[in-house]
Amino acid sequence: MADKKPIELEEGWASMQRGIDKLIRLLEGETESQFNAEQYMMLYTTIYNMCTQKPPYDYSEHLYQRYREAFNNYINDKVLPALREHRDEVLLRELLSRWNNHKVMVRWLSRFFNYLDRYYVLRHSLHPLKDVGLLCFRDQVYADVKRNARSAVLKLIEREREGELIDKMMLKNILDIFIEVGMGSMDHYERDFEEVLLNETASYYKRKAAEWINEDSCPEYMLKAEDCLRLEEERVDNYLHASTKPKLLREVESELLAKYEQDLLQKEHSGCAALLRDDKTEDLARMYRLFSRITRGLDPIADCFKEHVESEGMKLVKEVAEAVEAKKEKDAGKPSRDSGTSHEQQYVRQVIQLHDKYLSYVSTCFANSSLFHKALKEAFEGFCNKAVAGSTSAELMANFCDNLLKKGGSEKLSDEAIEETLEKVVKLLAYISDKDLFAEFYRKRLARRLLQDKSASDDHERSILTRLKQQCGAQFTSKMEGMVTDLQLAREKQQNFDEWKQRKNKQLPIDLSVTVLTTGFWPTYKSMDLALPGEMVEGIEAFKEFYEAETKHRKLTWIYTQVGRCDILHPVDADLVYFKGFSGNSYCLTVLLKSLELVLSTLQAATLLLFNEAEELSYGEVQERLNLQEEDVTRLLHSLSCAKYQILAKEPAGRTISKNDKFKLNVKFTDRMKRIKVPLPPTDEKKKVIEDVDKDRRYAIDAAIVRTMKSRKVLQHQQLVLEVVQQLSRMFKPDFKLIKKRIEDLISRDYLERDKDNPQLFKYLA
C-alpha cells in the first residue's frame, strides 16, 4: 500500500467528469443507463483516495472548487438557455423542471463527494456540498429568472381572482423555490415576491372597491368583500406561505373595508342604520365580522347601534307621552290610578321588549362584544332617564312591578313568565340613574301590597328582592326585606294574641287583627290623634295589655291613615250602622252586618260609626268628635257624601264640602254590588316620595363628605366633589350644587373648615 501510486488531479477529475456527464445526460432525458453500485463505488472511492493522499497530493481544496464549477457549467450550458426561451406559465413549468433536476443533481453529486463533505468541509467551516449546489442555482438561475417568474406567478394569481382555474400545485412548488433559496431565511421570498404581491393585491382590490361601492348596496358589497377575504385565505392555504396570510388580508381589508367604511355605513337605503331599522340580522352579523378585522373598525358601527337604539327608545317615550296626554284630556276630573295608566304599563313592557331585542342583537350579531354591550347600556341610559309623561322611569318601573305582583293586576302571566319579567325589569334598573327613587316608590307599593293583603305570591316578592340585592347591594333591599319579615312575625304575633284572648277569656266587641311593624323599615305615614269609637278602643286596649306583657322596652304607635280598612254591612231597612270589627296596618278591623258590605278606610269607618250615636251631625261636630284637622275631615266627608257612593246625605246638596254642611245617614243608599269599596280622594303620593328621597339624599351626601374627609383629612374642593359623586353614583347622580350646599352646611356645623389661605381647600375637624 505504501508503494501505491498517487492519483493525479487531472487523472482523477477526468474519471469524475465522466460520471458527472452521465448524470447530466440522465437529467436531460437522454438515453443513458442508471448508475449501478460498482460505478457509484468507483466514483466515491476516487474522491476518497484524492482526499486522503498525503501532501502534495491531497486535492480536497481543488475538488471542492471543481464541485462548484460542475454546477456552474451545467447551469450555463443547459439550464439558463432553456429558461431564457420561455415566458409566463411555460417559463414556470420549465423552471420547476430545472429546479427538480438541480435537486437531483445535488443529491447525487453530494453522495459522490461525500468524503469531502465529512472531513474537509467541516475542518475548514465551509458551506456543505448541498448548500454549494443551492447557492449556484440561487446566484445564477434564480437571480436571472426571478423577475419573469414573479411576473408569471402574479398573472396567474390575478387570473384566479377573476374566476379562472389555474394549476395551484405548480404555483406552490414555484413559490417554494423562492423560499428554499433563502436557505432558512424568508428574505428572498419576502423581498422578491411578497412585497410585489402585496402591492399588486392592493391595486387590484382598490380598482374593485371603486367599482363596487358605486354599483352595489351595502349588503351586496359586504358579501363580495367577505367572499374575497375567504378566497384570499384559501389562496394562502393552497400555495402561499403562511406568513403571508396576515399581510395579504390586511391589504384586502384596507382597500375593501377601511377606506370605504363610512361610505358603506352611511349608504342611504342599505347602510348600518337601514339594516338596524329593517332587522337585517344576518347582514349586521356580517358587518361585525368584517369590520372587527380593522383597528377601531367597530366604533362607527357601535355608535350607529347606540344612536338607533336610543332613537327607538325616544319614540316609545314620545308615544306614551302623547297617549297619556290624550287620556288625561279624555278623563279630566277622574282620579288617576297609583299603579300607572295602561299606556305607562305598556311603555315599560315595550322597553323590556326593546331591551330583549337589542340584547339578542349584541349576543347573536355582535358576538357579545363589550363595545356593543357598552353602546346598548349608554343608549338605554339615554332615554330611560328621561321624563316619561311627567313621571320618571324609576316610578314607572316600580308601578309595573306592583301591577305584576299584586292580586288582580292587568298582567296575567304564568309564574315562570312573572319570574322572567321580574328578572328583565331588574336588568333595566341598571340603566336608571335614580335607583334610590325606584327603591322608595317600590317600597311604597310593597307596603300597600303587604298591608292590604294584595300580594299575589310571597315567592315572587322574595324573588325580586333577591335579584335587586344582587344588582344593587344589600343596603338597597334591607328595608324591603325587613318589611316582608315583619309580616311573617306579625302573623305569629296575631296567632299568639288570639291564643291569649282564649286563655284570658276575653270577649271583644270586634274581631281585632293587629299587624305590628318595625318603624325603620316601613314608609312614614301621617300620624294623628284620632278619637276612636268605644268598640275600637276596647280592642286596642286589649292588644296593648297583651303586647306589653309579652314585649318589653317597645312602644306601640297606632297609625289610622292610608292603609286602615274596615268592612261595614249596611242593611237597607236600617237607620243605624252596626259595628262588629276593625282592621288596619297596626290593627285589623272588620265590621260585618247583613246585606250590603262597605269596604272603607279606618277613618271612613270611624266617621260612619259616629252616626250610631246621632242621626245628624254638622261639619264641626264631626271634626270635634274625630279630633281631626280640617283637611282630613273634608276629604273624609267628601268621599262619603259627594263621590260615587253617597252613603251620607249632605245638606245643602252639592259636590263640595263646606263648614256649614250637615250630614246624616243616607238610608236610601243601595247598589247592585253586594260588596262596595269606597275610595278616599287621591293624595299626591309622588310628591311625598320625591320629598323623602331628596331628604335621604341630603343625608347620604353629608355622610359621603364626612366619610371622605375623615380618611383624607385635607382635600381640594374639586377632588372632594368627585369622590363624593363616585361614592354615590351607584344609587343616584348627586347634583354638584347640592354637594356644595351640603359642604357649606357641614362647615356651619363644625364638621369641616376652610383653609385660611386657600378657600378651595377643606380640612376635617376631628
Side-chain angles (χ1 to χ4, degrees), residues 499-535:
E499 293 172 357
W500 178 84
K501 285 190 298 181
Q502 290 178 359
R503 290 197 308 271
K504 296 284 187 178
N505 198 23
K506 287 270 188 181
Q507 297 295 325
L508 300 179
I510 60 174
D511 295 329
L512 182 65
S513 178
V514 180
T515 305
V516 180
L517 308 177
T518 305
T519 304
F521 294 152
W522 296 78
T524 56
Y525 297 106
K526 185 176 180 180
S527 180
M528 56 181 66
D529 190 14
L530 175 66
L532 291 171
E535 300 93 334

Side-chain angles (χ1 to χ4, degrees), residues 86 98 130-131 156 166 195 233 255 269 302 325 332 340 349 446 514 519 524 547 563 574 602 627 632 634 760 766:
H86 305 298
R98 291 296 174 177
K130 287 185 178 180
D131 287 357
L156 286 176
I166 62 170
E195 287 181 6
E233 288 186 21
E255 296 300 332
H269 301 297
E325 190 62 33
R349 174 64 69 184
L446 175 62
V514 180
T519 304
T524 56
Y547 188 78
V563 290
T602 306
N627 194 31
D632 297 319
T634 301
Q760 294 297 310

Side-chain angles (χ1 to χ4, degrees), residues 218-219 222-223 226 270-290 301 305 308 354 356-368 372:
C218 178
M222 290 192 299
L223 276 170
E226 189 173 50
S270 64
C272 186
L275 297 180
L276 288 165
R277 181 193 65 217
D278 299 334
D279 299 326
K280 301 292 187 182
T281 54
E282 188 176 335
D283 291 324
L284 288 169
R286 181 174 295 107
M287 181 177 283
Y288 174 84
R289 289 196 302 272
L290 289 173
I301 302 173
F305 178 65
H308 173 78
L354 192 72
D356 287 347
K357 175 181 177 180
Y358 290 111
L359 187 61
S360 73
Y361 276 35
V362 172
S363 61
T364 57
C365 301
F366 306 130
N368 267 322
F372 285 85

Side-chain angles (χ1 to χ4, degrees), residues 388-557:
V388 183
S391 301
T392 63
S393 290
E395 179 186 358
L396 296 184
M397 287 170 63
N399 290 341
F400 182 83
C401 290
D402 181 58
N403 195 43
L404 202 64
L405 294 168
K406 71 183 181 181
K407 294 176 182 176
S410 60
E411 297 285 337
K412 308 297 183 184
L413 301 174
S414 66
D415 287 346
E416 293 78 8
I418 289 175
E419 286 293 322
E420 185 180 347
T421 306
L422 290 175
E423 184 177 0
K424 291 174 181 178
V425 172
V426 173
K427 284 182 180 178
L428 286 181
L429 184 61
Y431 306 128
I432 304 298
S433 58
D434 297 331
K435 294 181 179 64
D436 57 343
L437 195 59
F438 168 85
E440 191 61 24
F441 274 115
Y442 185 86
R443 197 162 67 100
K444 287 275 189 182
R445 306 293 186 265
L446 175 62
R448 184 180 303 165
R449 290 196 302 276
L450 295 177
L451 296 176
Q452 296 182 357
D453 194 26
K454 288 186 175 181
S455 179
S457 167
D458 289 344
D459 291 340
H460 292 327
E461 296 287 2
R462 292 191 177 278
S463 174
I464 188 172
L465 290 182
T466 300
R467 289 189 169 94
L468 289 171
K469 188 174 183 178
Q470 291 172 346
Q471 177 84 20
C472 304
Q475 186 178 355
F476 188 84
T477 58
S478 59
K479 290 183 179 180
M480 303 176 202
E481 290 174 321
M483 291 163 65
V484 175
T485 303
D486 266 0
L487 259 291
Q488 287 183 328
L489 296 175
R491 293 189 190 106
E492 296 174 7
K493 186 77 71 177
Q494 177 62 35
Q495 186 177 355
N496 294 339
F497 177 54
D498 292 338
E499 293 172 357
W500 178 84
K501 285 190 298 181
Q502 290 178 359
R503 290 197 308 271
K504 296 284 187 178
N505 198 23
K506 287 270 188 181
Q507 297 295 325
L508 300 179
I510 60 174
D511 295 329
L512 182 65
S513 178
V514 180
T515 305
V516 180
L517 308 177
T518 305
T519 304
F521 294 152
W522 296 78
T524 56
Y525 297 106
K526 185 176 180 180
S527 180
M528 56 181 66
D529 190 14
L530 175 66
L532 291 171
E535 300 93 334
M536 296 185 182
V537 172
E538 186 177 347
I540 288 176
E541 291 300 327
F543 186 82
K544 282 183 179 179
E545 181 185 347
F546 155 76
Y547 188 78
E548 289 171 358
E550 189 179 77
T551 309
K552 305 297 182 184
H553 310 299
R554 289 198 177 186
K555 180 184 176 183
L556 279 178
T557 302

Side-chain angles (χ1 to χ4, degrees), residues 154 157 160-161 189 193-205 228-256 293:
L154 293 175
I157 292 175
E160 187 188 29
R161 284 173 175 157
Y189 173 82
F193 173 73
E194 188 181 73
E195 287 181 6
V196 182
L197 169 68
L198 297 177
N199 291 333
E200 289 290 322
T201 299
S203 299
Y204 176 82
Y205 284 110
C228 289
L229 287 165
R230 178 181 58 80
L231 291 174
E232 292 300 329
E233 288 186 21
E234 291 179 2
R235 198 158 285 125
V236 173
D237 294 338
N238 288 332
Y239 49 80
L240 299 175
H241 191 268
S243 64
T244 304
K245 186 173 183 176
K247 306 172 192 174
L248 184 67
L249 295 180
R250 192 157 52 242
E251 294 296 332
V252 181
E253 291 159 2
S254 174
E255 296 300 332
L256 292 184
R293 294 168 170 267

Side-chain angles (χ1 to χ4, degrees), residues 207-399:
R207 294 193 303 272
K208 290 296 180 182
E211 295 173 13
W212 297 342
I213 196 67
N214 294 320
E215 297 172 356
D216 300 326
S217 65
C218 178
E220 291 169 341
Y221 185 100
M222 290 192 299
L223 276 170
K224 290 182 177 179
E226 189 173 50
D227 198 42
C228 289
L229 287 165
R230 178 181 58 80
L231 291 174
E232 292 300 329
E233 288 186 21
E234 291 179 2
R235 198 158 285 125
V236 173
D237 294 338
N238 288 332
Y239 49 80
L240 299 175
H241 191 268
S243 64
T244 304
K245 186 173 183 176
K247 306 172 192 174
L248 184 67
L249 295 180
R250 192 157 52 242
E251 294 296 332
V252 181
E253 291 159 2
S254 174
E255 296 300 332
L256 292 184
L257 301 175
K259 293 183 179 179
Y260 288 99
E261 180 171 15
Q262 289 301 323
D263 294 327
L264 276 173
L265 299 184
Q266 294 173 8
K267 274 185 174 283
E268 186 175 356
H269 301 297
S270 64
C272 186
L275 297 180
L276 288 165
R277 181 193 65 217
D278 299 334
D279 299 326
K280 301 292 187 182
T281 54
E282 188 176 335
D283 291 324
L284 288 169
R286 181 174 295 107
M287 181 177 283
Y288 174 84
R289 289 196 302 272
L290 289 173
F291 289 100
S292 63
R293 294 168 170 267
I294 301 171
T295 304
R296 305 192 70 81
L298 294 174
D299 289 356
I301 302 173
D303 291 340
C304 185
F305 178 65
K306 174 189 170 185
E307 184 179 331
H308 173 78
V309 175
E310 188 168 0
S311 172
E312 291 294 298
M314 289 306 299
K315 282 182 187 176
L316 296 181
V317 172
K318 185 177 179 182
E319 286 171 4
V320 74
E322 292 172 352
V324 169
E325 190 62 33
K327 192 173 189 304
K328 282 182 180 178
E329 293 176 3
K330 182 180 178 182
D331 298 342
K334 297 180 182 179
S336 63
R337 294 182 295 175
D338 287 336
S339 289
T341 68
S342 59
H343 298 293
E344 291 164 338
Q345 291 289 307
Q346 184 62 23
Y347 165 75
V348 179
R349 174 64 69 184
Q350 288 174 332
V351 171
I352 291 173
Q353 292 169 352
L354 192 72
H355 188 256
D356 287 347
K357 175 181 177 180
Y358 290 111
L359 187 61
S360 73
Y361 276 35
V362 172
S363 61
T364 57
C365 301
F366 306 130
N368 267 322
S369 165
S370 59
L371 179 65
F372 285 85
H373 275 293
K374 180 184 176 186
L376 183 68
K377 179 176 181 289
E378 291 175 352
F380 270 79
E381 287 175 343
F383 73 85
C384 281
N385 291 297
K386 302 284 186 184
V388 183
S391 301
T392 63
S393 290
E395 179 186 358
L396 296 184
M397 287 170 63
N399 290 341

